[in-house]
Amino acid sequence: MQYEEFVSSLNDKQLLAVESPSQYLRIVAGAGSGKTRVLTYRISYLISQLKVQPWKIVAITFTNKVANEMKNRIVKIVPEASKDLTIRTFHSFAAYFLRQEIEVLGYPTNFTILDEEDQTKLVKDIAVSMGYKKNDPIVKNTINYIGYNKLHEKYPGDIKIVHEKFEDEKACLEIFEEYENQKERQSALDFDDLLLKTNQILASYPLVQAKWRNRIDHILVDEFQDTNDTEYKMIKYLLKPSASLYVVGDPDQTIYTWRGANQKIILDLSEDYPGLETVILNQNYRSTQNILDSANKLIAHNKYRVPKDLFTNNIKGHEIVVRGLDTGVGEASYVAREITSLKETQHYRYSDIVILYRSNYLTLDFEKALMAKKIPYVIYGGIKFYQRMEIKDVLAYFRLINNYKDDISFERIINVPKRGIGETSINLIKNNAIEHDLSLYEYISSDFALEELPDRVSKSLRSMIARIEHTKEELKEDNEIFAKTLEDLITDIGYYEYLKTQEEGEDRIDNVKSLFDDLRHYLQNNVDATFEEYLQNVALVSAQDDMQEGEHVTLMTVHTAKGLEFPAVFVVRLDQGIFPSIRALTEGGYAAEEEERRLAYVAFTRAKERLYLTYSGGYNYVVGSNLVESQFIKESGNSGVSRPTSFNTGYRYQPRPTPQRKYGFNDIRDDDSVSFDDGPHIVQETPQSNNITNWEVGDIVIHQKFGKGVVKALEGDNIIVVDFKEHGEKTLLGTHHMISKGVK
C-alpha cells in the first residue's frame, strides 16, 4: 500500500497524530476513535516516509495478540519491516533484554520463567518445608505479599519489619526470602522479576544502558493509561535525550489501578517531557450520537482527566433505554424478554448482544432468565454461577442434609472449611467406610469411626455432622423460612471466615450471599415449597447447559469487556452500592468513585447501536440495604423510570408473548416482574400472601401453627423475627399466608 492510500483513510486529527514532527506526543484516543489504526500508521509513516530503520523502533502493547495484529498490519504497508520490527509487551521486551544482559547479575541467559502456577507450587513447597500445610492461608497470603512488594519494587532485603502490619507478616517474609533463594538456585525468574531485573541492570550498569539507548530512536506505547510505575521507569531508562516518545491512551478508560496502573503517568506526562504535544482523537467510529452524548455527560463529572467530548458522523440512533424493575429477578426477566424481541423483531443475532455487570456474583438471575427463555449464553471472565467453587461447597452441605448417602458431597466438604483432615486420614475414612458398607457420613457417625480413626479426626468430623443434624431438625420444625436456617449453618461452621482466606474471597462471599438471596426469592414466590423441591430445582437449572457454538449472548464484567464492542449492550444492576461498588467507595473515597465512573463510561461506550441501562429494587444482602438507582444513571442524563412505591412479594404470571410482540421502553408495566414463563422454575399465578408489609417491632403475630407471638426484629425483605410463647424464636416471611396481625 502506498502512503497516499492510507492517508486518505484518516481524518484530520488522526493524520496530525500520524505525521506530527514533535519529539514527544501524547495521543488521547477516545473510545472507538481508531487508536490502533493511528499507532499502526505512525510506525508505517516513520519507516516509509521518514526512512527510520525498523530496528530503531520499539513498540509496546499490552497483549501479545495485539502485538501480532499490529505487526501484520504494518508489514502489509511496509514489507521491509517484517524481520527487524520490535513490537512486544512490557514483559516480552524485558525477557528479550534479559536474555542478552542478565549475566551481569550472575544469572545465566537460559533462565527459566515461572508462571503463576509454578510460583504457587514453589511457595506451597516452601511453606510445607517450614511446617505448614500446602493449603494453609499462609500460602495465599505469601503469594499476595510477594506480588504487593514487587509491585512496589521491593525484595526481601528491602523490607524491615518493626511492627507487623498483619498477622504472620514475619512468616510471609521468611517464605518470601526462601522463595527468592530457591529461584536463584534454580536460575528462575517470575513475571515481576522480568521488569525489576531489567530496571536494575539499566539503572546500575551505564554501559548496558548506553548500548540500548543507542539502538532506539523511537518508543511507542499503546494503552498508556494502564502503565504502572515500574514499566514507566523502564521507558525512561531506555529513552535517550534525542529519542522520540509516542504514547496512545485514554485517561477516561483507566480501570486497572487495582493492578498498579497509575493514571498520573499519562495525565502528568508533560512534567517529565516539556514541549509535549497532545492530540485528542474524539471522533468515534463505533457508536451512535445518543450513546456518546450519554457517555460524555457521565464522564464529565470526573475532575481528574483530559477534557474531551466524543462525537460521530454516525446517525443519532435509538434512544437509550432505561428500565427500573422492582426486583432483581424482574430486571433479569425484562432483559431476557428484550433480547428475544431484538432477535425476533429487529433481526439481531444473539452474538450481537452482551450483558455487562460490575461483578461476577451478579449473574445468577440473568442466567436463570436466559435459560427460561432458551437463550444460549456464554460467560467470559468467570464460570457459571452454580459451578463456582463456593456455590458448589454450600450446595454440597445442603445435599448432605437431604441425603446422607451422598458421598460426592461429603468428600467435597470433608475439609472445607479447614478441619485439619489430611490426605492420609481421608483415604483411611474412605477405605473403612467401604469395608463396613457405609456411606462416608454414616461411617463417621458410627462407633466404628471412634475405634478406627485418630481421636482428633473423629471429633472434628463428628462436630460437623452434629451441626448438620441440628440444621436438619430445625428444617423439620420450621420449613417456612429455610434460607435463614441454612445461612446459620454456613455461618456457624466458619465458611465465611474460610472464604476470606481464599483468592477473591470478598467476591466469593458475595456469591454465597446471592445464593441465599435466591433461596429467599424462591420461598417468597413458592410459599408452600419444601427444601427438597428447591434442591431439585437447582439441580435441573444447573444441568441445562446446551449452548450453541458461536451463536450466543455474551455475559461478562465490564473489566473483561475492555476493548470490545457489540451492537446491543445491556448494562445491568446499575444500583447504588452495586455499580458503583459500595466496597470501592468505602475503601477508596473520591478516587475510587472516579474509577467506578470510568468503568461505567467503558461499559456505555462498548455499544454501537443500542444501549440499555437497567436497575432493580428490593433488599439486597450484599449491599445490606434496599437498592436505589445508581448515581451514574442521572449523571449520564438518563432520568430512568419511576420505581413502584411498593415492591411485589412475588412474581405475577403473564401469558407468554407471541413472537411478533415487541417489548419496548413503554410497553411493560412497572410492576411486571415475571421471570419464568417456561423452564424448570415453578411459578404460581397467584402466590398466597397476607399482604402485610408494614410489620414493626412489638407487633402481635398470630400464626396458624405456632400460635401467638411478638415481633422482636426486622431483617429486611419483609422477614420478621418472632418470639412465640410456646415455640420460642422463629424467623418468618412477613407476608406468609399462615400469619396475621393481632391486637396489641
Side-chain angles (χ1 to χ4, degrees):
M1 179 185 291
Q2 297 299 312
Y3 172 68
E4 291 76 11
E5 291 182 65
F6 70 72
V7 164
S8 64
S9 65
L10 301 175
N11 64 40
D12 291 344
K13 287 188 176 179
Q14 288 175 331
L15 183 60
L16 174 60
V18 168
E19 295 187 336
S20 172
S22 296
Q23 181 181 4
Y24 307 122
L25 273 142
R26 174 177 59 181
I27 312 303
V28 177
S33 64
K35 71 175 181 64
T36 303
R37 170 180 290 187
V38 166
L39 191 57
T40 301
Y41 284 5
R42 173 68 175 187
I43 296 172
S44 302
Y45 172 76
L46 291 175
I47 298 170
S48 66
Q49 301 302 306
L50 299 188
K51 306 304 179 184
V52 176
Q53 299 297 332
W55 59 84
K56 289 284 195 178
I57 299 171
V58 171
I60 301 294
T61 69
F62 271 72
T63 67
N64 290 315
K65 179 181 178 182
V66 172
N68 292 331
E69 289 175 353
M70 281 182 57
K71 190 167 187 177
N72 290 335
R73 291 187 193 182
I74 293 166
V75 168
K76 287 181 180 179
I77 301 171
V78 191
E80 60 267 31
S82 60
K83 293 183 179 180
D84 300 316
L85 192 59
T86 300
I87 304 180
R88 297 175 178 268
T89 66
F90 275 111
H91 287 87
S92 174
F93 178 84
Y96 170 68
F97 172 90
L98 291 172
R99 293 294 181 197
Q100 301 174 59
E101 308 294 349
I102 199 170
E103 286 181 327
V104 299
L105 299 181
Y107 277 76
T109 57
N110 65 340
F111 58 85
T112 298
I113 300 174
L114 303 181
D115 61 20
E116 291 182 3
E117 185 175 343
D118 298 327
Q119 182 186 33
T120 300
K121 185 178 186 307
L122 181 55
V123 171
K124 283 184 176 180
D125 290 346
I126 295 168
V128 169
S129 72
M130 292 182 173
Y132 298 99
K133 292 182 171 56
K134 63 180 181 180
N135 291 322
D136 278 352
I138 193 73
V139 172
K140 182 56 62 180
N141 290 342
T142 300
I143 292 170
N144 292 336
Y145 187 68
I146 292 171
Y148 174 84
N149 280 289
K150 289 193 175 183
L151 180 64
H152 293 83
E153 303 178 12
K154 291 182 179 180
Y155 281 98
D158 304 312
I159 303 169
K160 307 299 180 188
I161 300 176
V162 179
H163 301 289
E164 288 189 318
K165 298 183 181 67
F166 60 91
E167 186 179 358
D168 292 333
E169 183 184 5
K170 290 181 179 178
C172 288
L173 179 56
E174 185 180 358
I175 297 174
F176 187 7
E177 289 174 333
E178 183 58 23
Y179 169 79
E180 291 301 318
N181 291 336
Q182 291 207 24
K183 281 200 296 98
E184 186 172 355
R185 286 196 294 270
Q186 297 175 40
S187 299
L189 301 179
D190 60 30
F191 286 160
D192 291 323
D193 292 329
L194 297 176
L195 303 181
L196 294 174
K197 299 296 186 186
T198 295
N199 284 355
Q200 181 184 352
I201 293 171
L202 289 170
S204 305
Y205 296 87
L207 292 179
V208 176
Q209 184 190 60
K211 178 174 70 174
W212 283 82
R213 281 190 165 194
N214 288 335
R215 292 182 182 182
I216 302 170
D217 287 340
H218 295 268
I219 297 179
L220 304 94
V221 187
D222 191 17
E223 299 286 3
F224 192 66
Q225 78 278 350
D226 292 328
T227 302
N228 65 36
D229 292 341
T230 304
E231 294 161 343
Y232 185 45
K233 280 186 179 180
M234 186 190 300
I235 293 170
K236 290 196 288 186
Y237 285 139
L238 293 168
L239 195 72
K240 63 189 174 189
S242 61
S244 168
L245 178 63
Y246 188 98
V247 302
V248 182
D250 183 6
D252 289 337
Q253 297 187 68
T254 306
I255 59 174
Y256 294 110
T257 60
W258 49 279
R259 291 183 184 172
N262 184 354
Q263 192 189 25
K264 287 174 61 65
I265 295 172
I266 189 171
L267 289 174
D268 299 340
L269 195 62
S270 60
E271 295 180 6
D272 287 333
Y273 300 101
L276 175 77
E277 179 184 4
T278 297
V279 178
I280 297 177
L281 304 182
N282 58 350
Q283 181 173 350
N284 177 284
Y285 292 89
R286 174 189 300 157
S287 307
T288 65
Q289 192 60 52
N290 277 332
I291 292 170
L292 297 181
D293 287 345
S294 187
N296 288 333
K297 289 176 183 176
L298 173 68
I299 202 64
H301 286 79
N302 274 9
K303 298 177 181 178
Y304 197 49
R305 62 188 292 261
V306 177
K308 66 177 183 300
D309 273 340
L310 296 178
F311 74 94
T312 184
N313 289 331
N314 296 337
I315 61 174
K316 190 169 182 64
H318 301 280
E319 294 293 329
I320 294 172
V321 177
V322 183
R323 187 73 181 120
L325 278 297
D326 56 352
T327 67
V329 177
E331 178 190 3
S333 176
Y334 164 74
V335 170
R337 292 196 304 271
E338 194 65 22
I339 289 172
T340 299
S341 175
L342 287 174
K343 180 172 174 60
E344 294 181 349
T345 70
Q346 302 299 314
H347 309 297
Y348 279 75
R349 295 167 58 88
Y350 286 135
S351 56
D352 293 332
I353 302 168
V354 67
I355 299 174
L356 300 180
Y357 37 84
R358 176 62 179 83
S359 301
N360 275 317
Y361 77 87
L362 298 167
T363 65
L364 176 58
D365 287 339
F366 297 94
E367 291 187 59
K368 291 164 70 174
L370 293 173
M371 283 188 283
K373 288 288 187 183
K374 304 190 186 308
I375 297 172
Y377 68 94
V378 169
I379 298 178
Y380 291 97
I383 59 176
K384 291 197 171 187
F385 187 86
Y386 290 116
Q387 295 173 349
R388 291 169 183 161
M389 176 271 285
E390 59 277 10
I391 299 304
K392 295 185 76 171
D393 288 347
V394 173
L395 288 176
Y397 276 100
F398 294 176
R399 288 167 56 181
L400 275 175
I401 292 171
N402 195 50
N403 178 14
Y404 60 81
K405 290 185 178 293
D406 188 342
D407 280 353
I408 294 175
S409 293
F410 192 94
E411 192 167 348
R412 180 179 183 88
I413 54 85
I414 191 171
N415 210 27
V416 176
K418 302 301 180 186
R419 299 185 176 91
I421 313 298
E423 187 173 344
T424 301
S425 294
I426 292 174
N427 289 333
L428 177 62
I429 292 168
K430 291 166 68 174
N431 292 334
N432 288 353
I434 292 172
E435 182 179 337
H436 293 292
D437 195 25
L438 297 172
S439 70
L440 298 179
Y441 193 101
E442 290 173 307
Y443 173 71
I444 294 299
S445 305
S446 72
D447 292 335
F448 298 119
L450 293 175
E451 299 170 0
E452 298 169 351
L453 294 180
D455 186 60
R456 176 187 57 81
V457 172
S458 178
K459 284 184 178 179
S460 177
L461 292 177
R462 281 188 168 237
S463 174
M464 176 193 76
I465 286 178
R467 188 61 185 86
I468 292 175
E469 289 296 319
H470 176 71
T471 301
K472 192 182 298 186
E473 292 302 315
E474 286 187 323
L475 290 175
K476 288 179 182 177
E477 183 180 347
D478 182 7
N479 202 34
E480 292 175 18
I481 193 71
F482 54 73
K484 172 66 174 173
T485 303
L486 295 170
E487 189 164 30
D488 286 345
L489 165 66
I490 298 305
T491 301
D492 289 349
I493 64 172
Y495 190 71
Y496 285 125
E497 292 302 314
Y498 162 75
L499 287 181
K500 290 178 183 179
T501 69
Q502 304 299 299
E503 184 177 5
E504 300 176 340
E506 292 297 329
D507 285 342
R508 294 184 186 277
I509 289 171
D510 289 346
N511 286 338
V512 174
K513 289 182 178 179
S514 280
L515 178 67
F516 285 107
D517 266 350
D518 183 53
L519 273 161
R520 290 181 176 93
H521 287 311
Y522 184 80
L523 176 65
Q524 287 174 339
N525 297 284
N526 302 276
V527 293
D528 292 321
T530 65
F531 175 53
E532 290 78 8
E533 287 170 349
Y534 175 78
L535 286 178
Q536 173 182 294
N537 183 70
V538 168
L540 289 171
V541 171
S542 61
Q544 297 192 9
D545 192 21
D546 185 20
M547 296 182 295
Q548 301 173 25
E549 182 66 25
E551 179 54 19
H552 51 254
V553 172
T554 298
L555 283 74
M556 60 176 61
T557 65
V558 184
H559 283 103
T560 305
K562 177 80 177 293
L564 302 178
E565 58 183 40
F566 295 85
V569 172
F570 291 82
V571 185
V572 301
R573 294 293 154 91
L574 275 166
D575 297 273
Q576 197 69 13
I578 294 179
F579 198 176
S581 161
I582 189 171
R583 189 182 306 137
L585 298 182
T586 301
E587 296 176 0
Y590 182 74
E593 180 181 334
E594 288 216 346
E595 178 145 356
E596 291 291 301
R597 191 175 288 113
R598 292 193 296 269
L599 194 61
Y601 175 80
V602 168
F604 289 14
T605 54
R606 300 311 93 196
K608 298 170 68 175
E609 301 169 7
R610 295 175 182 265
L611 176 61
Y612 296 79
L613 311 178
T614 69
Y615 60 98
S616 60
Y619 189 87
N620 181 273
Y621 285 83
V622 175
V623 175
S625 66
N626 285 310
L627 295 175
V628 297
E629 174 183 317
S630 169
Q631 66 188 75
F632 297 152
I633 292 178
K634 181 178 180 181
E635 291 175 358
S636 61
N638 299 292
S639 58
V641 175
S642 298
R643 197 194 299 275
T645 54
S646 63
F647 299 129
N648 291 335
T649 59
Y651 310 128
R652 179 176 295 112
Y653 176 82
Q654 298 289 343
R656 185 170 184 171
T658 62
Q660 271 61 42
R661 181 176 178 184
K662 180 178 184 301
Y663 287 96
F665 181 64
N666 296 313
D667 292 333
I668 304 176
R669 296 190 302 276
D670 284 338
D671 62 352
D672 183 8
S673 57
V674 58
S675 179
F676 304 110
D677 42 28
D678 56 13
H681 218 86
I682 300 171
V683 179
Q684 297 185 2
E685 294 190 15
T686 54
Q688 291 177 289
S689 170
N690 59 24
N691 294 317
I692 302 174
T693 59
N694 60 343
W695 289 104
E696 296 180 357
V697 173
D699 282 348
I700 302 298
V701 176
I702 306 298
H703 193 285
Q704 294 177 21
K705 177 180 178 181
F706 301 129
K708 188 175 182 179
V710 179
V711 176
K712 292 298 185 183
L714 307 176
E715 294 198 351
D717 226 11
N718 209 29
I719 292 173
I720 58 177
V721 179
V722 183
D723 184 14
F724 291 99
K725 184 176 181 180
E726 296 182 1
H727 294 275
E729 193 173 280
K730 303 290 181 184
T731 305
L732 305 171
L733 181 64
T735 54
H736 199 278
H737 66 279
M738 292 185 69
I739 64 175
S740 59
K741 271 191 179 183
V743 179
K744 292 184 180 180

